């Protein structure tokens, strides 16, 4: 049976209330069958990233103030970080006068439930003094905040043994040893760190014993079973070979500032493959994750099934070099990845230009059941929405959907897909801010909230957002979405460069209901590559189970769906990466934990 056969299975008169389960197990061959054969052609050398002149204020305003009907739902996001106990400001050491690019890249944010108490906790990476980035400065350390929902957060860093004091960048969450407790991979400007969750509220740095030893500039990271052996591996983006030894500032008409990535070479992204005993080996070359010298300058990564075959692809956003799309190919010697982004149509923009690719969002934005790709880019160089055409083919629809029009006046970093007005259509939050330095204007920028209209185009509603945060200007960097208070809407943690972190609580009075799913497997391997379909009334939403996304961030591991108003239950179909299918009828306005092959459990 092929995957379309799964979708067409009869529903068998599912009752409108109560809870039932039907499970179908497909032969293992069906999961890997039908992988498309693709290829790639040689790329020309990437152009250097050259700053472009900013638009005058009048032109910028014209983009955002075109007439439109009033909103049916008024968005409201309130920054509650201070009152919730998140008292953190990222230290970038910019005053040292090095003009090192990492100073403007910001730190990461990751959501996890490290103590399994049902409330999400927040991990924030911290910078340090750049001369001591390799060993740590003993002064600035990462922070772990224990969450209690609406009751706020408490800094438990010292009690939990969180002691990393190197120059922090991205953070990824994954239970690499399958003991039931989420662990952490920390990407640094320098040596990365793997923190093992001991299950007693503390963490231990096991980088040395685990074999994690790469000393490069790491950025975004994702945990996934990349070699399909049942163990959780790590894809770690690497940015530039920029160091204190080869660094230089650049001169702009407005004054001295930071150079762009065109001044330096990219480096090979390491792929850490688990042996299943707590140790890892770097196997990027062996698995086919091969980059041309200087080509990849990775800032974002997502592991997601893009062609509906239950086998995830790896998509890497590179800064001013072509993006990567790695596809798993079964071979006689095992699994091998092939890079096909150029032939797939998602390596560069529709006019053939390399783009900045700071943040990634994967979701079904046009409602056709296939996950699309949204990327954040540079000032005056549009953000990009690649429509998934099926069969690992994509089309840049940024202009047709007006994504381009909403983004030319901003520089985007972290991004979070969400349905803030609960109308069944996915929209985006984008953290924004420039990178050339305070003398080059604009520098701080207004964050963006987009709304998708009935005809599939997007409008910028940032000026309509209630709460003071969207009225300010920030150097936004990481953005991680999570329902931290378990009230059924998506809140957002945003890190800033040199100013306090924000926690945007969604207080939008939107109609409708929600359905939350916490998906598990008997092996404790996250079901990355699976997909979930939820139907309620006339609404149908399909969402992939993915890893990574945004920029330097880890989102809430649960899936959140919006349901229409009323009391009609939701019909849920889960297609697991194993080939199994579970179907249930579930009540809304609740979170449910679902283990493959088992009965759903309503969470308190």
């Amino acid at each position: 049976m092929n995957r379309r056969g799964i979708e067409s299975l009869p529903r068998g008169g599912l009752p409108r209330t109560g809870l039932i389960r039907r499970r179908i197990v497909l032969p293992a061959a069906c999961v890997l069958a039908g992988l498309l054969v693709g290829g790639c052609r040689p790329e020309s050398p990437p152009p250097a990233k050259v700053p472009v002149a900013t638009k005058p204020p009048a032109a910028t305003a014209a983009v955002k103030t075109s007439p439109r009907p009033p909103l049916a739902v008024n968005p409201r996001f309130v920054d509650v970080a201070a009152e919730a106990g998140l008292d953190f400001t990222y230290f970038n050491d910019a005053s040292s006068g090095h003009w090192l690019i990492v100073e403007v890249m910001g730190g990461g944010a990751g959501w996890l439930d490290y103590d399994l108490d049902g409330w999400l906790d927040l991990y924030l990476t911290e910078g340090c003094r750049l001369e001591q980035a390799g060993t740590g400065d003993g002064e600035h350390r990462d922070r772990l905040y224990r969450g209690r929902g609406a009751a706020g957060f408490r800094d438990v860093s010292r009690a939990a043994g969180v002691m990393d004091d190197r120059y922090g960048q991205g953070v990824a969450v994954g239970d690499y040893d399958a003991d039931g407790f989420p662990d952490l991979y920390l990407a640094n400007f320098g040596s990365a760190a793997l923190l093992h969750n001991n299950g007693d509220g503390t963490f231990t740095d096991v980088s040395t014993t685990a074999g994690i030893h790469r000393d490069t500039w790491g950025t975004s990271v994702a945990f996934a079973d990349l070699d399909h052996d049942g163990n959780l591996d790590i894809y770690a983006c690497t940015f530039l070979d920029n160091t204190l030894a080869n660094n230089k500032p650049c001169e702009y008409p407005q004054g001295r500032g930071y150079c762009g990535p065109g001044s330096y070479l990219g480096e090979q992204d390491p792929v850490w493959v688990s042996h299943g005993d707590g140790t890892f080996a770097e196997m990027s070359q062996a698995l086919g994750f091969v980059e041309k010298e200087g080509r990849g300058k990775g800032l974002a990564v997502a592991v997601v099934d893009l062609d509906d075959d239950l086998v995830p692809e790896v998509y890497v956003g590179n800064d001013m070099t072509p993006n990567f799309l790695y596809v798993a190919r079964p071979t006689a010697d095992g699994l091998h990845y092939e890079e096909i982004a150029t032939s797939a149509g998602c390596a560069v923009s529709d006019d053939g230009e390399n783009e900045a690719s700071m943040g990634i969002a994967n979701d079904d934005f046009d409602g056709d059941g296939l996950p699309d790709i949204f990327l954040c880019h540079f000032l005056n160089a549009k953000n990009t929405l690649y429509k998934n055409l099926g069969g690992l083919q994509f089309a840049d629809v940024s202009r047709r959907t007006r994504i381009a029009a909403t983004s030319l006046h901003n520089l985007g970093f972290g991004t979070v897909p969400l349905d803030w007005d609960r109308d069944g259509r996915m929209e985006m939050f984008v953290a924004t801010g420039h990178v050339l330095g305070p003398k080059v204007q604009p520098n701080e920028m207004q964050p963006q909230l987009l709304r998708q209209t009935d005809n599939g185009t997007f409008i910028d509603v940032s000026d309509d957002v209630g709460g003071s945060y969207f009225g300010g200007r920030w150097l936004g960097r990481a953005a991680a979405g999570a329902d931290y208070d378990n009230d059924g809407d998506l809140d957002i943690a945003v890190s800033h460069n040199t100013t306090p972190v924000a926690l945007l609580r969604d207080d939008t009075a939107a109609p409708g209901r929600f359905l939350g799913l916490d998906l598990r497997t008997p092996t404790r391997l996250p079901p990355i590559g699976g997909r979930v379909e939820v139907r309620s009334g006339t609404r149908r939403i399909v969402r992939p189970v993915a890893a990574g996304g945004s920029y330097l961030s880890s989102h809430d591991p649960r899936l959140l769906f919006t349901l229409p108003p009323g009391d009609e239950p939701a019909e849920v179909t889960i297609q697991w990466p194993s080939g199994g299918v579970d179907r249930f009828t579930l009540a809304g306005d609740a979170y449910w934990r679902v283990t493959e092959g088992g009965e759903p459990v309503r969470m308190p």
Side-chain angles (χ1 to χ4, degrees):
M1 182 182 296
N2 60 28
R3 59 183 180 272
R4 295 300 177 191
I6 295 174
E7 291 183 358
S8 62
L9 287 171
R11 297 187 177 273
L14 292 177
R16 307 308 289 177
T17 59
L19 178 150
I20 71 166
R21 177 174 64 82
R22 178 182 302 155
R23 178 166 172 77
I24 306 100
V25 178
L26 302 180
C30 290
V31 178
L32 287 174
L35 292 174
L36 299 173
V37 176
C40 60
R41 61 177 182 265
E43 300 292 343
S44 58
K49 185 172 184 177
V50 178
V52 294
T54 58
K55 292 185 177 181
T60 298
V63 173
K64 302 185 64 182
T65 58
S66 56
R68 58 171 172 78
L71 298 176
V73 176
N74 294 314
R76 182 173 176 80
F77 286 82
V78 179
D79 182 4
V80 297
E83 65 186 73
L86 297 178
D87 55 345
F88 176 81
T89 299
Y90 185 78
F91 175 78
N92 69 349
D93 199 24
S95 62
S96 60
H98 294 299
W99 295 102
L100 201 64
I101 299 176
V102 72
E103 298 169 21
V104 296
M105 302 307 287
W111 292 101
L112 72 161
D113 182 5
Y114 84 98
D115 53 0
L116 307 187
D117 66 350
W119 298 104
L120 287 175
D121 315 300
L122 183 61
Y123 192 97
L124 298 169
T125 64
E126 171 68 300
C128 75
R129 301 198 180 278
L130 284 164
E131 292 88 348
Q132 299 165 283
T135 59
D137 66 3
E139 181 181 358
H140 303 90
R141 302 183 188 277
D142 293 356
R143 306 281 281 275
L144 174 64
Y145 290 89
R146 183 172 183 259
R148 290 293 296 168
F153 294 83
R154 182 166 60 91
D155 187 343
V156 296
S157 309
R158 186 168 296 277
V162 172
M163 303 297 289
D164 195 273
D165 59 351
R166 287 163 288 187
Y167 205 103
Q169 294 284 268
V171 55
V173 179
D175 181 10
Y176 75 88
D177 57 352
D179 65 354
F181 291 89
D183 310 300
L184 294 164
Y185 183 99
L186 309 177
N188 292 318
F189 178 68
S191 301
L194 181 66
L195 302 189
H196 176 256
N197 188 333
N198 300 317
D200 60 359
T202 67
F203 289 83
T204 300
D205 187 336
V206 296
S207 310
T208 300
T209 57
I212 305 294
H213 52 74
R214 192 80 165 227
D215 189 12
T216 53
W217 181 355
T219 54
S220 295
V221 188
F223 279 96
D225 181 11
L226 297 173
D227 61 351
H228 298 188
D229 68 348
N231 299 311
L232 210 53
D233 310 308
I234 303 165
Y235 190 102
C237 289
T238 301
F239 192 28
L240 304 175
D241 69 346
N242 184 203
T243 65
L244 284 171
N246 67 2
N247 190 59
K248 59 183 179 181
C250 282
E251 301 296 335
Y252 300 101
Q254 297 175 352
R256 176 165 290 191
Y258 295 89
C259 295
S263 301
Y264 304 95
L265 295 176
E267 295 192 309
Q268 172 71 40
D269 295 342
V271 176
W272 300 105
V273 173
S274 172
H275 293 143
D277 60 358
T279 65
F280 293 79
E282 203 291 300
M283 296 185 65
S284 56
Q285 302 287 321
L287 286 175
F289 294 100
V290 181
E291 306 173 20
K292 297 177 182 178
E293 183 179 355
R295 179 186 179 194
K297 300 177 180 180
L299 286 178
V301 59
V303 185
V304 57
D305 176 21
L306 294 169
D307 58 351
D308 197 14
D309 65 355
L310 304 180
V311 179
E313 283 71 48
V314 179
Y315 188 79
V316 181
N318 291 310
D319 193 351
M320 296 309 294
T321 59
N323 301 320
F324 299 147
L325 176 59
Y326 291 108
V327 182
R329 308 292 194 197
T331 68
D333 299 325
L335 203 64
H336 193 269
Y337 283 83
E338 180 182 2
E339 201 285 294
I340 66 164
T342 297
S343 61
C346 56
V348 295
S349 71
D350 56 353
D351 53 8
E353 295 294 328
N354 294 326
E355 297 180 297
S357 303
M358 271 78 77
I360 296 178
N362 290 112
D363 222 300
D364 178 18
F365 292 106
D366 57 2
D368 65 356
L370 294 172
D372 309 301
I373 304 172
F374 174 77
L375 291 166
C376 297
H377 297 310
F378 205 68
L379 177 69
N380 289 340
K382 67 172 181 64
N383 292 343
T384 296
L385 179 61
Y386 291 110
K387 174 180 170 56
N388 192 334
L389 304 175
L392 291 177
Q393 293 295 305
F394 297 85
D396 183 344
V397 295
S398 312
R399 293 176 176 81
R400 187 174 72 199
T401 59
R402 293 190 57 79
I403 286 292
T406 67
S407 58
L408 290 173
H409 59 290
N410 269 334
L411 189 158
F413 272 91
T415 181
V416 178
L418 73 168
D419 180 13
W420 57 266
D421 56 0
R422 290 188 174 178
D423 64 355
R425 295 184 292 267
M426 294 302 292
E427 285 111 7
M428 268 86 72
F429 167 85
V430 180
T432 62
H434 215 339
V435 295
L436 298 183
K439 292 185 178 180
V440 182
Q441 296 297 320
N443 189 32
E444 295 91 353
M445 295 178 177
Q446 181 184 28
Q448 280 193 295
L449 185 68
L450 303 185
R451 178 182 181 270
Q452 186 174 178
T453 65
D454 294 344
N455 63 8
T457 60
F458 290 83
I459 58 175
D460 186 336
V461 298
S462 308
D463 290 336
D464 300 284
V465 181
S468 61
Y469 180 78
F470 280 82
R473 299 294 185 270
W474 313 92
L475 293 177
R477 296 300 186 250
D483 182 10
Y484 82 93
D485 50 4
N486 290 341
D487 66 350
D489 48 41
L490 202 66
D491 313 297
I492 304 170
V494 187
S495 73
H496 303 113
N497 217 18
T498 73
T499 56
V501 66
L503 177 60
L504 305 183
R505 186 182 65 203
D506 186 354
D507 288 348
T508 305
R513 300 164 295 140
F514 76 93
L515 178 73
L517 297 176
D518 181 3
L519 302 183
R520 310 288 179 97
T521 67
T523 63
R524 292 177 174 166
L525 191 71
I528 299 163
R531 68 196 294 264
V532 178
E533 176 184 318
V534 172
R535 292 179 180 265
S536 182
T538 60
R539 184 175 299 182
R540 172 181 179 262
I541 298 174
V542 179
R543 187 146 301 143
V545 183
S550 194
Y551 168 76
L552 308 184
S553 303
S554 290
H555 299 305
D556 188 335
R558 302 170 297 180
L559 296 181
L560 187 62
F561 297 82
T562 58
L563 307 178
D567 57 2
E568 186 171 7
E571 297 178 5
V572 179
T573 301
I574 305 172
Q575 297 186 21
W576 302 92
S578 66
V581 177
D582 283 335
R583 286 183 171 166
F584 310 97
T585 299
L586 300 177
D589 281 339
Y591 276 96
W592 297 84
R593 177 170 294 166
V594 183
T595 301
E596 181 178 2
E599 299 293 334
V601 177
R602 185 167 184 158
M603 304 306 294

